Amino acid sequence: MNKEFDIIRRYFKKTVSNAILGIGDDAALIVPSSKTELAISMDTLVSGKHFFADTDPYKLGYKSLAVNLSDMAAMGAKPRWAMLSLTLPKILAEQNEVWLGDFSQGFFELAQTYQIELIGGDTTSGPLSICVQIIGEVAKGDALRRSGALVGDDIWVSGCLGDAALALCHEKQQMVLESDEIDYCLSALHMPTARIVLGQKLIGLAHSAIDISDGLMADLGHILSASNKAATIDLVLIPCSSVMQRVIQRPFALDCLLSGGDDYELCFTASKSKHKAIEVLSEELSLPLTCIGEIIQGEGLIVKDADGNEISMEKTGYDHFRS
Amino acid sequence: MNKEFDIIRRYFKKTVSNAILGIGDDAALIVPSSKTELAISMDTLVSGKHFFADTDPYKLGYKSLAVNLSDMAAMGAKPRWAMLSLTLPKILAEQNEVWLGDFSQGFFELAQTYQIELIGGDTTSGPLSICVQIIGEVAKGDALRRSGALVGDDIWVSGCLGDAALALCHEKQQMVLESDEIDYCLSALHMPTARIVLGQKLIGLAHSAIDISDGLMADLGHILSASNKAATIDLVLIPCSSVMQRVIQRPFALDCLLSGGDDYELCFTASKSKHKAIEVLSEELSLPLTCIGEIIQGEGLIVKDADGNEISMEKTGYDHFRS
C-alpha cells in the first residue's frame, strides 16, 4: 500500500486546472463544456504483446498516451483528460527512480503538448500492463465516425504507412535494415504521432475517419463495414517513406505497408468536392495527405497494382481484415 | 484480431440508449446532463493479486464492476457509463463459451441493476487482468469528498466490516471457518454490494465519505489526511456480522475488522445535528448505519477498547494506515 501512494504522489499527481478534482479522492470530477459531446476511449498495452518487456520506459509512457490520443484524433475530438491504470512488476516499482521516472516523463511530456490533465487511475503490482483512458470534447454532432463513408468519397491517409511494422520485422529478425533505417522505423514504432490537429481540422471536410492501429486493410475495412460500402485502392498510391520504398520488394514489406499495425495515421473519406481543401490542409499542417482510392457500392476492399489488376489479398494480410 | 472482434460482438456489445455512440468506433460519445459534474474513476483487478486465478468468472465480472460502483457511491454520484479493458490468457479466450459467457453475465447483471451502459473498452491477450472505468453524474458542487470532515462530526459506517477479509484468511488457511460461515464470508468477498443508493442519499447529510476498500483504518485515514483532522473510534461500536462476533477472539480477526480490505461499505462523517436523519435513512434503506466515533482536532486515528483505553495499533494493521 505504502508504495502505491508514494508512487502516485511522486510520479503522477500534478496540480489540475481543468478538472474540479484530480487524483486523490474516490473519483475525479470534471465539468465538460455544455455544447460538446464527450468522446471516451481506453486502450491497454500489455508487455510481450504490444511492446517488448525491455522497451525504454520513457517511450512506453509516451506511446501509452499517444495511442489513446490517436483515437481522439480519429473522432475529431480535442483530448482533455486522461486516467492511467498501471500494473507494475515489483522489480520495476523498486527501481522506481529509473523506470517510473522515465515512464512518467514520457507520459507527461506528451500530455503537456496537448494540455491534457491526468485526473486519476490506479497503480497495482502484477505483470506489466498499462491501461490509459482518455476523454475528449467535440462539438455536438461533429464527431467523425467510421460509419459516414459515402459512395464516391475519396479515401485519404495521412503520413506514411508501414514503418512501425518494418521496425517490428527487424526486431523479430524477419528483415535486416540499415542502422539509419532502423532508427527511423523504431521511432515510428515507439513514438507515434497522434494526428490530433488533423482530426479536428477534418470536421466539416471528412465523412468518416479511423486511426490506423491494426493496419490499413483492417482499419479501412472497419470504415467499410460500418458504412456498408466497398472500396478500391491503388497500391502505388499508398504513401511510403524512403525506407519503405527501398525495401518494398523484400518479403514482409508489402504486408507491413498494407497490414502492419501501429501506424496511428488517420484514414478518412471525403467528398471529391473537398479534394482541393484537403490538399490545402495538407500544406497548412505540413503533413502529407494522400488520396489512395475511392468508396464504391458493395462489400469488400479491392487493392489494385500499377496496371490496375486486382491483387490477391491472401498475400498481403487480408486475413487480418477478414476479422 | 478475429477473436477480439468476435469476443466483443458476442459478449459485450449491447444496444445503448443513454449514449450517442457505444462500442464499435474509435471512441464512445456521451452527452452528460448540463447541470452535473462527471465523476470518473477506474480500478484494475489483477489475477493473483486481487483474486485467485480460479475465481468463478461470473463473480469476477460482477465484482470488477462492483468495486468501481463503490467509488461512485463514495462520491454520491449516479453511475451511468462504463468501459471495460479485458486482458485474457489465450486459454480462457478459447474456453470462451464458459469463461466469457459467465464473466459477461456477472458484469451485465450488475450493470442492468443500475442501468449502467457499457460503451467501450478493449480486449487483448495476456495475463488475466480486468480494468473497468466508470463515469457517473452528480449535481454541481454536491459530490462527497474525502476532504470535508469537520471537528465534531460523527463517523459512520454502513453494513458490517471485515467479512471479506475473514474469507481471505480462510482461503489462505490462516483461520478455519464453519461451512455456513464460509459461504457468508465468501459472498462478501466475491460479490460485494456497492452502496450506490446510500451514497446519493448522503448528499446534504454527510460532510465527507470514502468507500472501505483498503480497510477501515486505512480508508478513514484517508478522510483524516485529506481533511487535516484526527479521530477517535470505539472498537466495540464497529459493526460486526454474527460470524465476525463468533471469531473475533481468534488471531487475525481483529485485523480483518479494522484493516481488512474489500468491504466496499461506506465510511462517512456528518454533523451531530444529522444523527437522527441518518438513523431514519438507515431504516428507510434497511441498511445498518452505525456511528463508531468522532472527528477531533489534530492528526491520527485513536481506537479505544470497551474501557476507553487506547489500543496499540501495531497489533491491528495500523501500518497499512501509516502509508
Side-chain angles (χ1 to χ4, degrees):
Chain A
M1 292 310 305
N2 311 23
K3 278 230 180 75
E4 180 179 352
F5 294 108
D6 281 351
I7 287 173
I8 292 168
R9 198 175 303 121
R10 191 153 176 188
Y11 297 103
F12 296 109
K13 195 170 176 173
K14 310 256 175 187
T15 312
V16 292
S17 55
N18 297 326
I20 307 288
L21 195 61
I23 290 170
D25 213 303
D26 295 296
L29 292 171
I30 62 171
V31 178
S33 315
S34 64
K35 288 179 182 167
T36 61
E37 289 168 5
L38 288 186
I40 308 167
S41 70
M42 74 199 282
D43 256 314
T44 299
L45 300 185
V46 177
S47 179
K49 169 90 184 170
H50 301 96
F51 59 89
F52 296 106
D54 60 354
T55 299
D56 174 356
Y58 175 89
K59 291 175 181 164
L60 207 50
Y62 186 98
K63 184 167 179 175
S64 65
L65 182 57
V67 302
N68 279 277
L69 293 188
S70 186
D71 285 322
M72 293 293 103
M75 299 302 281
K78 180 178 162 53
R80 297 207 55 199
W81 302 280
M83 299 200 122
L84 168 67
S85 176
L86 186 59
T87 304
L88 208 59
K90 281 201 178 112
I91 187 152
L92 290 185
E94 281 156 12
Q95 299 167 350
N96 58 20
E97 280 304 325
V98 185
W99 200 94
L100 279 162
D102 287 356
F103 177 87
S104 59
Q105 207 189 329
F107 184 94
F108 281 113
E109 214 156 281
L110 183 55
Q112 278 150 17
T113 306
Y114 295 102
Q115 289 97 50
I116 295 158
E117 294 191 333
L118 183 70
I119 55 171
D122 68 356
T123 313
T124 191
S125 68
L128 182 58
S129 158
I130 303 150
C131 180
V132 173
Q133 183 265 347
I134 188 117
I135 304 181
E137 291 185 308
V138 57
K140 279 181 185 162
D142 276 358
L144 302 170
R145 303 183 182 202
R146 297 178 178 180
S147 56
L150 298 178
V151 170
D153 273 4
D154 287 331
I155 299 167
W156 296 83
V157 293
S158 65
C160 298
L161 301 188
D163 296 325
L166 287 181
L168 261 185
C169 276
H170 176 84
E171 298 214 329
K172 288 179 184 167
Q173 301 183 312
Q174 293 169 334
M175 187 184 289
V176 179
L177 298 175
E178 304 296 322
S179 76
D180 60 325
E181 296 170 344
I182 296 166
D183 290 349
Y184 171 81
C185 292
L186 281 177
S187 162
L189 177 65
H190 290 308
M191 297 190 67
T193 303
R195 300 301 183 189
I196 293 292
V197 180
L198 172 62
Q200 291 170 50
K201 295 272 187 186
L202 286 178
I203 290 174
L205 288 176
H207 286 147
S208 69
I210 193 168
D211 68 317
I212 304 176
S213 55
D214 293 335
L216 174 63
M217 304 288 294
D219 289 313
L220 175 53
H222 292 316
I223 286 185
L224 301 181
S225 311
S227 303
N228 289 312
K229 298 288 180 296
T232 61
I233 59 174
D234 289 305
L235 184 59
V236 292
L237 295 180
I238 300 174
C240 295
S241 67
S242 59
V243 175
M244 179 61 87
Q245 285 169 30
R246 241 184 284 168
V247 304
I248 189 73
Q249 299 300 335
R250 298 191 202 166
F252 298 109
L254 196 60
D255 272 341
C256 290
L257 181 64
L258 287 171
S259 309
D262 269 347
D263 289 318
Y264 302 104
E265 296 295 346
L266 294 188
C267 174
F268 57 96
T269 78
S271 158
K272 288 203 188 332
S273 68
K274 305 291 186 188
H275 200 102
K276 184 69 195 161
I278 292 169
E279 286 177 345
V280 170
L281 179 61
S282 172
E283 278 179 39
E284 182 191 327
L285 300 179
S286 301
L287 173 67
L289 299 176
T290 310
C291 179
I292 62 167
E294 188 182 8
I295 297 293
I296 57 175
Q297 206 64 260
E299 247 186 50
L301 173 53
I302 297 160
V303 184
K304 290 183 178 165
D305 66 16
D307 302 319
N309 299 318
E310 189 169 337
I311 298 173
S312 161
M313 283 305 106
E314 271 64 57
K315 277 189 201 161
T316 52
Y318 190 63
D319 280 344
H320 286 275
F321 165 56
R322 297 293 288 185
S323 68
Chain B
M1 291 310 305
N2 311 23
K3 279 229 179 77
E4 181 180 352
F5 294 108
D6 281 350
I7 287 172
I8 292 169
R9 197 176 303 122
R10 191 151 175 191
Y11 296 104
F12 296 109
K13 194 168 177 175
K14 309 258 175 185
T15 312
V16 293
S17 55
N18 297 327
I20 306 289
L21 195 60
I23 290 171
D25 213 302
D26 295 295
L29 292 171
I30 61 170
V31 177
S33 315
S34 64
K35 289 181 182 168
T36 61
E37 289 168 4
L38 288 186
I40 308 168
S41 71
M42 74 200 280
D43 256 315
T44 299
L45 301 186
V46 177
S47 180
K49 171 88 184 170
H50 300 97
F51 58 88
F52 296 106
D54 61 354
T55 299
D56 174 355
Y58 175 89
K59 291 174 181 163
L60 207 49
Y62 185 98
K63 185 169 180 176
S64 65
L65 182 57
V67 302
N68 279 278
L69 292 188
S70 185
D71 285 322
M72 294 294 102
M75 299 302 281
K78 179 178 162 54
R80 296 207 56 199
W81 302 280
M83 298 199 122
L84 167 67
S85 175
L86 186 60
T87 305
L88 206 60
K90 282 202 178 113
I91 186 153
L92 290 185
E94 281 157 11
Q95 298 166 353
N96 57 20
E97 281 303 327
V98 184
W99 201 93
L100 279 162
D102 287 356
F103 178 87
S104 60
Q105 206 189 330
F107 185 94
F108 282 113
E109 213 157 282
L110 182 56
Q112 279 150 16
T113 306
Y114 295 102
Q115 288 97 50
I116 296 158
E117 294 191 334
L118 184 69
I119 55 171
D122 68 356
T123 312
T124 191
S125 68
L128 182 58
S129 158
I130 304 150
C131 181
V132 173
Q133 183 264 350
I134 189 119
I135 304 180
E137 291 186 308
V138 57
K140 280 181 183 162
D142 276 357
L144 302 170
R145 302 183 182 203
R146 297 178 179 181
S147 56
L150 299 177
V151 170
D153 273 4
D154 287 330
I155 299 167
W156 296 82
V157 292
S158 64
C160 298
L161 300 188
D163 296 325
L166 287 181
L168 262 185
C169 277
H170 176 85
E171 299 214 329
K172 289 178 183 167
Q173 301 183 313
Q174 292 167 335
M175 187 184 289
V176 178
L177 298 175
E178 305 295 320
S179 76
D180 61 324
E181 296 171 344
I182 296 166
D183 290 348
Y184 170 81
C185 292
L186 280 177
S187 161
L189 177 64
H190 289 308
M191 298 191 67
T193 303
R195 299 303 183 188
I196 293 292
V197 179
L198 172 62
Q200 291 171 50
K201 295 271 186 185
L202 287 177
I203 290 174
L205 288 176
H207 286 147
S208 68
I210 193 168
D211 68 317
I212 304 176
S213 55
D214 294 335
L216 174 64
M217 303 288 294
D219 289 312
L220 175 53
H222 292 315
I223 286 184
L224 301 181
S225 311
S227 302
N228 289 312
K229 298 289 179 295
T232 62
I233 59 174
D234 289 305
L235 184 59
V236 292
L237 295 180
I238 300 174
C240 296
S241 66
S242 59
V243 175
M244 179 61 87
Q245 285 170 29
R246 242 183 283 168
V247 303
I248 190 73
Q249 298 302 335
R250 299 191 202 167
F252 299 109
L254 196 60
D255 273 340
C256 290
L257 181 64
L258 286 171
S259 309
D262 270 347
D263 288 317
Y264 301 104
E265 296 295 345
L266 294 188
C267 174
F268 57 96
T269 78
S271 159
K272 289 204 190 329
S273 67
K274 305 291 187 190
H275 200 101
K276 183 69 195 162
I278 291 169
E279 286 177 345
V280 170
L281 179 61
S282 172
E283 276 179 42
E284 183 191 325
L285 300 178
S286 301
L287 172 66
L289 299 176
T290 310
C291 180
I292 62 167
E294 189 182 8
I295 297 293
I296 57 176
Q297 206 65 258
E299 247 186 49
L301 173 54
I302 298 160
V303 184
K304 290 182 178 165
D305 66 15
D307 301 321
N309 298 317
E310 190 170 335
I311 298 173
S312 159
M313 284 303 106
E314 272 63 58
K315 275 188 200 161
T316 53
Y318 189 63
D319 280 345
H320 287 274
F321 166 56
R322 296 295 288 184
S323 67

